[in-house]
Amino acid sequence: MNRRKFLKRSALLSGLLALNPIDTFANTDAKSISGTKGKAKNIIFMISDGMSSGTLAMANLYSKNVLGRSTNWMNLYTENKVSRALMDTASASSIVTDSSAASSAFGGGIRVKNGTLNIGANGEKHLPIWQEWKKKGKKTGCVTSVTITHATPAGFCINSSSRNAEPEIAEMYAEIGFDVMMGGGDEFFNPLKREDKKDVYETYRQKNYQIAKNKSDLQNIKKNKPLLGIFNTGALPYSIDKVNDKSFQNTPTLAEMSKTAIDQMKDHDKGFLLQIEGGKVDWAAHANDIPALIHDQLAFDEAVKVAMDFAEKDGNTLVIITTDHGNANPGIIYDADATKKFESISNYKFSNEYLLNSLHSDFNLQQIKDLVFEMNQFSLTDKEALELLSFYNGLEKEDGLYNYKKLPYKLFSEIQKKHNSVGWMSMDHSSDYVELAMYGPGSEQLKPFVKNTDVHQIMQNALGK
């Protein structure tokens, strides 16, 4: 080889290796993002947490084949209403991010280590965008289907060295004074459930917040007062379970919470910033729970419609629709009857979580088979029923991020795969390049491939910073 060419190639390779490997293939920076032609008064930032591209595709296929219509998100593509990109989701510590680092990339504009919220490598605090613009006079809020103190809403709002500091995060929100906060997490506000017995609800009441505990409460709120809506201990129920279990029917949907939040803030003369998170999409992916995944993605899609209906009428709102990372990479696997098998998911009455919590160690094999048939409309073999029962007799236990009851999620998803043709790569986050769509003033800044931190700068440009 020519020595000069060899040295030139060696220098190029050395330069590439000197770069942070997490950033090698996502080398945009704030300077490369041009200023916006349009200025946004409002921003609605929508995150379907843990949504791999397969989740988006399956929800749309289910909606088309079973419900007879495409999803609102996919209609934005087919009608050419949005700018669209792929996004690199890495954190400062890994090419596979967690939700706290991913949200901090959006909220604080920097990549931080997994597990932290807007705290840099040397302990420095980066001001989250919702807090920054709250101080400048805009109204700010978050709604989610998980705990309102969870990583994704927190990443837009506060600084913390630990995403798990949810009791403290509940107090931070009150101190900062966000205008609308809705989701689950009663255990972080209720003195009967907090370890320190502190009544955080009372803290909010003293700051003139109105407290909503169910869907009926939302019909009686006043627009001139800030709102805290806490609708469950832990996360809200899965959407499919809310539909089919009457005990959940006074729990608001993500779309209902989103509409309430917009209505509460839309008349403010300085505008508003709202984050909407379909947080249980991520939890369903962790559990390989296909009925929960599809129906919570569709619930998120209904919230997309709420946001877009407002933005198209308003004309001054930037809508951002994306995810923070992939999870489990589900997809439909080839089979001669793949279409029919996939559509059989319409027979599932409840989430896998609900079904598996309904099984007990004292069930006999026939009782297990009867319950699965009632809820999923397919028949287990005796061997499959016995394998499921072994988990409840303590012979086997299955781990998982949100699997505190050690339910046999993986085993049951493998059984279901024979009947619905849905396969899963894992039960955890992945490093996918993910979907990102933008509508409204500021969306013209979006390039075909960006880093998650670039979205922060696009928002700042659109707001006129």
Side-chain angles (χ1 to χ4, degrees):
M1 178 183 289
N2 181 287
R3 184 172 182 272
R4 183 175 296 176
K5 289 182 179 179
F6 173 78
L7 291 173
K8 185 176 180 180
R9 291 178 182 177
S10 297
L12 176 60
L13 180 60
S14 297
L16 284 173
L17 293 176
L19 293 172
N20 182 341
I22 293 172
D23 290 335
T24 302
F25 298 107
N27 57 6
T28 57
D29 55 37
K31 293 180 182 178
S32 72
I33 299 172
S34 59
T36 177
K37 296 177 183 177
K39 300 297 183 184
K41 181 180 179 182
N42 314 308
I43 293 178
I44 302 176
F45 198 123
M46 308 196 66
I47 301 173
S48 178
D49 198 300
M51 187 199 76
S52 292
S53 58
T55 300
L56 182 65
M58 286 194 298
N60 187 60
L61 287 167
Y62 183 92
S63 188
K64 285 201 313 181
N65 289 15
V66 175
L67 306 178
R69 60 182 184 273
S70 294
T71 57
N72 297 297
W73 189 334
M74 293 307 296
N75 282 338
L76 294 176
Y77 290 167
T78 58
E79 295 169 11
N80 198 29
K81 284 188 175 182
V82 291
S83 301
R84 182 186 180 192
L86 286 178
M87 180 173 63
D88 173 12
T89 63
S91 72
S93 56
S94 176
I95 58 174
V96 182
T97 191
D98 78 336
S99 290
S100 59
S103 187
S104 297
F106 300 139
I110 57 159
R111 284 182 164 173
V112 300
K113 292 181 179 180
N114 289 346
T116 63
L117 294 159
N118 297 303
I119 301 291
N122 300 311
E124 67 276 13
K125 295 182 178 181
H126 294 262
L127 185 64
I129 188 169
W130 263 217
Q131 194 176 145
E132 175 183 352
W133 286 91
K134 171 69 179 174
K135 292 177 180 178
K136 292 179 180 179
K138 289 188 181 292
K139 288 195 172 184
T140 49
C142 298
V143 300
T144 180
S145 58
V146 296
T147 57
I148 190 59
T149 48
H150 212 257
T152 301
F156 280 64
C157 297
I158 59 97
N159 303 91
S160 177
S161 59
S162 173
R163 60 175 289 172
N164 297 320
E166 293 189 72
E168 293 76 18
I169 291 170
E171 296 182 71
M172 290 180 197
Y173 289 165
E175 182 178 346
I176 296 165
F178 296 110
D179 297 276
V180 178
M181 303 297 271
M182 288 189 283
D186 179 66
E187 66 271 35
F188 305 120
F189 298 84
N190 190 329
L192 300 177
K193 298 175 183 177
R194 285 178 60 106
E195 287 188 10
D196 61 8
K197 306 303 180 184
K198 185 178 292 186
D199 188 346
V200 180
Y201 284 125
E202 183 58 28
T203 302
Y204 280 81
R205 290 189 186 97
Q206 290 176 4
K207 291 179 174 289
N208 204 36
Y209 278 80
Q210 48 198 328
I211 311 296
K213 293 294 187 70
N214 53 51
K215 183 162 60 174
S216 299
D217 289 345
L218 293 183
Q219 298 171 0
N220 300 309
I221 59 174
K222 299 176 181 178
K223 285 192 176 183
N224 60 344
K225 292 178 64 176
L227 171 64
L228 175 69
I230 303 297
F231 306 110
N232 203 33
T233 298
L236 273 59
Y238 282 118
S239 297
I240 188 172
D241 299 333
K242 281 193 285 190
V243 170
N244 293 307
D245 185 331
K246 292 182 179 179
S247 67
F248 298 144
Q249 289 183 358
N250 205 19
T251 304
T253 66
L254 190 64
E256 289 166 341
M257 289 190 289
S258 300
K259 187 177 187 308
T260 297
I262 292 169
D263 287 345
Q264 283 293 101
M265 300 191 291
K266 68 182 181 182
D267 297 327
H268 186 54
D269 58 353
K270 292 187 178 180
F272 69 87
L273 307 176
L274 173 64
Q275 184 209 81
I276 299 169
E277 183 203 16
K280 291 206 77 174
V281 172
D282 183 62
W283 294 26
H286 278 298
N288 289 184
D289 189 334
I290 190 61
L293 184 82
I294 287 179
H295 287 278
D296 262 63
Q297 181 63 32
L298 292 175
F300 177 81
D301 195 67
E302 289 303 306
V304 169
K305 183 178 187 304
V306 169
M308 287 299 302
D309 284 350
F310 169 77
E312 289 186 277
K313 183 178 179 180
D314 175 70
N316 296 305
T317 300
L318 171 62
V319 179
I320 301 169
I321 310 169
T322 189
T323 183
D324 50 350
H325 51 73
N327 190 344
N329 296 90
I332 303 168
I333 299 168
Y334 178 79
D335 183 283
D337 295 318
T339 303
K340 183 178 179 181
K341 286 185 175 182
F342 177 70
E343 291 171 0
S344 74
I345 295 170
S346 64
N347 295 322
Y348 297 2
K349 296 179 180 179
F350 293 98
S351 67
N352 291 354
E353 177 182 273
Y354 190 103
L355 185 156
L356 294 172
N357 272 314
S358 300
L359 295 175
H360 302 288
S361 59
D362 59 352
F363 275 28
N364 60 42
L365 295 190
Q366 191 58 49
Q367 286 175 307
I368 291 177
K369 293 169 76 172
D370 288 346
L371 182 67
V372 170
F373 187 82
E374 177 188 349
M375 292 191 178
N376 277 191
Q377 293 295 299
F378 65 76
S379 298
L380 295 176
T381 65
D382 286 348
K383 180 182 178 182
E384 290 168 341
L386 188 60
E387 285 179 316
L388 282 174
L389 184 60
S390 69
F391 278 82
Y392 296 88
N393 287 330
L395 300 179
E396 296 183 63
K397 294 295 179 184
E398 190 173 287
D399 292 326
L401 189 59
Y402 299 109
N403 189 12
Y404 63 94
K405 291 187 177 181
K406 307 297 183 184
L407 297 171
Y409 284 126
K410 186 64 177 176
L411 171 61
F412 194 60
S413 73
E414 288 296 319
I415 293 170
Q416 285 179 321
K417 181 169 68 174
K418 303 170 187 176
H419 304 277
N420 62 29
S421 288
V422 174
W424 306 79
M425 185 184 81
S426 73
M427 301 182 81
D428 216 333
H429 296 182
S430 55
S431 63
D432 313 24
Y433 296 148
V434 299
E435 289 285 340
L436 169 62
M438 293 188 185
Y439 170 88
S443 62
E444 67 277 359
Q445 298 175 79
L446 186 62
K447 296 183 177 181
F449 183 62
V450 296
K451 293 195 300 185
N452 44 14
T453 50
D454 295 334
V455 182
H456 175 92
Q457 190 59 45
I458 288 173
M459 287 192 288
Q460 295 284 28
N461 289 345
L463 292 169
K465 182 176 177 180

